[in-house]
């Protein structure tokens, strides 16, 4: 690749160098003709000719051109690598975040807006129950986010969340997800649910509007977001069984 780029650059530079050579000869001849002009002017023209010679030397030096081309390719390669590995704004990784998942989203507000306010978005509704290690069943009335747009919006811009309310982000296939709290105004607990229908991990008291990434402990099928502090108050723990009618957990 470097050889191809260098070869192309050299062809262009040969043409440039040819023009520079003609210009250089004319400039040097002109200096000879003007030997009797003001000394300062002659000195300035001489410096200009030397600068042209230096530039021409650089442009026709293959090693210098290879170094430049290699540097450009390195910068491009770093950009490509960073583009592949840096998560996109708010949403499941595709991930939801303190109300939303890091999923390629084009509009952080999830749609058109009016006077700076996000457009309304409709969510389905369902119930999620969690059976604790002590056998106590905890009930949550939840909104359901299944589409990329819904997962991108999540609980963004909400000012209140009831103690027994929440939002469940459901994925068609089990996968690692990354959450964050961009544009999320209230603290949240995030319950990561594995394909076996059990709590795989908990992120407690996620900070409102934080851009810190909150990764799942591994592949998960769903993420339940509830009021900040609710996981401790309700004694939820890793391994608790989750009953989610809309989640396609592995029943084996």
């Amino acid at each position: 690749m470097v050889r191809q780029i260098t070869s192309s650059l050299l062809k262009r530079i040969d043409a440039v160098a040819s023009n520079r050579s003609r210009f250089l000869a004319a400039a040097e001849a002109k200096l000879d003709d003007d030997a009797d002009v003001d000394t300062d002017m002659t000195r300035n023209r001489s410096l200009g000719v030397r600068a042209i010679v230096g530039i021409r030397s650089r442009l026709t030096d293959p090693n210098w051109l290879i170094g430049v081309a290699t540097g450009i390719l390195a910068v491009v390669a770093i950009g490509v690598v960073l583009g592949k590995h840096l998560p996109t704004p708010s949403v499941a990784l595709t991930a939801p975040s303190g109300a939303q998942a890091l999923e390629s989203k084009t509009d952080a507000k999830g749609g058109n807006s009016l006077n700076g306010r996000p457009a309304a978005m409709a969510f389905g509704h369902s119930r999620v129950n969690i059976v604790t290690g002590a056998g106590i069943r905890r009930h949550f009335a939840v909104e359901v986010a299944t589409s990329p747009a819904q997962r991108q919006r999540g609980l963004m811009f909400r000012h209140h969340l009831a103690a027994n309310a929440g939002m469940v982000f459901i994925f068609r296939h089990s996968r690692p997800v990354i959450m964050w709290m961009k544009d999320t105004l209230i603290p949240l607990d995030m319950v990561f649910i594995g394909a076996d229908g059990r709590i795989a991990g908990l992120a407690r008291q996620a900070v409102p509007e934080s851009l810190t990434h909150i990764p799942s402990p591994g592949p998960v099928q769903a993420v339940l977001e509830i009021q900040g502090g609710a996981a401790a108050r309700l004694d939820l723990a890793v391994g608790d069984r989750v009953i989610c009618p809309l989640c396609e957990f592995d029943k084996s």
Side-chain angles (χ1 to χ4, degrees), residues 118-173:
M121 179 172 290
F123 292 89
H125 293 81
S126 185
R127 298 192 69 82
V128 171
N129 297 324
I130 298 178
V131 182
T132 68
I136 301 173
R137 187 172 295 225
R138 306 299 189 184
H139 306 277
F140 299 93
V142 299
E143 293 176 83
V144 181
T146 55
S147 72
Q150 289 173 329
R151 292 195 297 261
Q152 289 167 11
R153 172 67 70 82
L155 291 173
M156 294 168 66
F157 309 109
R158 307 289 181 92
H159 293 277
H160 175 72
L161 185 66
N164 66 334
M167 178 175 288
V168 62
F169 299 77
I170 301 174
F171 307 98
R172 296 190 56 168
H173 305 288

Side-chain angles (χ1 to χ4, degrees), residues 38-56:
D38 181 81
T39 302
D40 290 337
M41 183 180 297
T42 302
R43 184 182 298 110
N44 290 338
R45 290 182 177 178
S46 179
L47 290 174
V49 169
R50 291 194 186 97
I52 292 172
V53 172
I55 292 172
R56 182 170 178 265

Side-chain angles (χ1 to χ4, degrees), residues 84-120:
K84 288 182 178 179
H85 293 283
L86 288 178
T88 53
S90 166
V91 198
L93 181 57
T94 47
S97 111
Q100 99 187 65
L102 283 179
E103 213 152 24
S104 50
K105 66 189 263 180
T106 55
D107 184 352
K109 294 180 172 57
N112 297 323
S113 59
L114 180 62
N115 298 325
R117 300 182 61 184

Side-chain angles (χ1 to χ4, degrees), residues 6-252:
T6 303
S7 176
S8 177
L9 287 174
L10 286 173
K11 288 180 180 178
R12 291 178 176 271
I13 288 164
D14 285 341
V16 173
S18 177
N19 292 333
R20 291 290 187 278
S21 296
R22 289 194 295 269
F23 176 77
L24 180 61
E28 290 172 340
K30 183 64 175 175
L31 284 177
D32 292 339
D33 293 341
D34 294 344
D36 59 342
V37 299
D38 181 81
T39 302
D40 290 337
M41 183 180 297
T42 302
R43 184 182 298 110
N44 290 338
R45 290 182 177 178
S46 179
L47 290 174
V49 169
R50 291 194 186 97
I52 292 172
V53 172
I55 292 172
R56 182 170 178 265
S57 176
R58 280 290 191 183
L59 291 176
T60 55
D61 181 355
N63 292 328
W64 184 80
L65 290 172
I66 290 174
V68 171
T70 301
I72 293 173
L73 288 177
V75 172
V76 172
I78 291 172
V80 171
V81 171
L82 291 178
K84 288 182 178 179
H85 293 283
L86 288 178
T88 53
S90 166
V91 198
L93 181 57
T94 47
S97 111
Q100 99 187 65
L102 283 179
E103 213 152 24
S104 50
K105 66 189 263 180
T106 55
D107 184 352
K109 294 180 172 57
N112 297 323
S113 59
L114 180 62
N115 298 325
R117 300 182 61 184
M121 179 172 290
F123 292 89
H125 293 81
S126 185
R127 298 192 69 82
V128 171
N129 297 324
I130 298 178
V131 182
T132 68
I136 301 173
R137 187 172 295 225
R138 306 299 189 184
H139 306 277
F140 299 93
V142 299
E143 293 176 83
V144 181
T146 55
S147 72
Q150 289 173 329
R151 292 195 297 261
Q152 289 167 11
R153 172 67 70 82
L155 291 173
M156 294 168 66
F157 309 109
R158 307 289 181 92
H159 293 277
H160 175 72
L161 185 66
N164 66 334
M167 178 175 288
V168 62
F169 299 77
I170 301 174
F171 307 98
R172 296 190 56 168
H173 305 288
S174 178
R175 62 187 180 185
V177 299
I178 297 175
M179 312 293 285
W180 70 352
M181 295 289 286
K182 177 177 171 60
D183 294 326
T184 303
L185 310 179
I186 53 178
L188 297 170
D189 286 350
M190 300 179 189
V191 182
F192 296 98
I193 307 167
D196 60 354
R198 293 187 177 275
I199 295 179
L202 292 160
R204 305 173 188 270
Q205 294 285 13
V207 179
E209 301 189 85
S210 170
L211 300 184
T212 299
H213 296 159
I214 305 172
S216 64
V220 296
Q221 192 80 40
V223 180
L224 173 66
E225 292 186 334
I226 54 179
Q227 190 181 77
R233 174 169 50 83
L234 300 174
D235 198 28
L236 305 184
V238 172
D240 287 353
R241 185 163 62 93
V242 179
I243 302 171
C244 174
L246 298 181
C247 299
E248 297 180 0
F249 296 136
D250 185 357
K251 301 299 191 297
S252 59

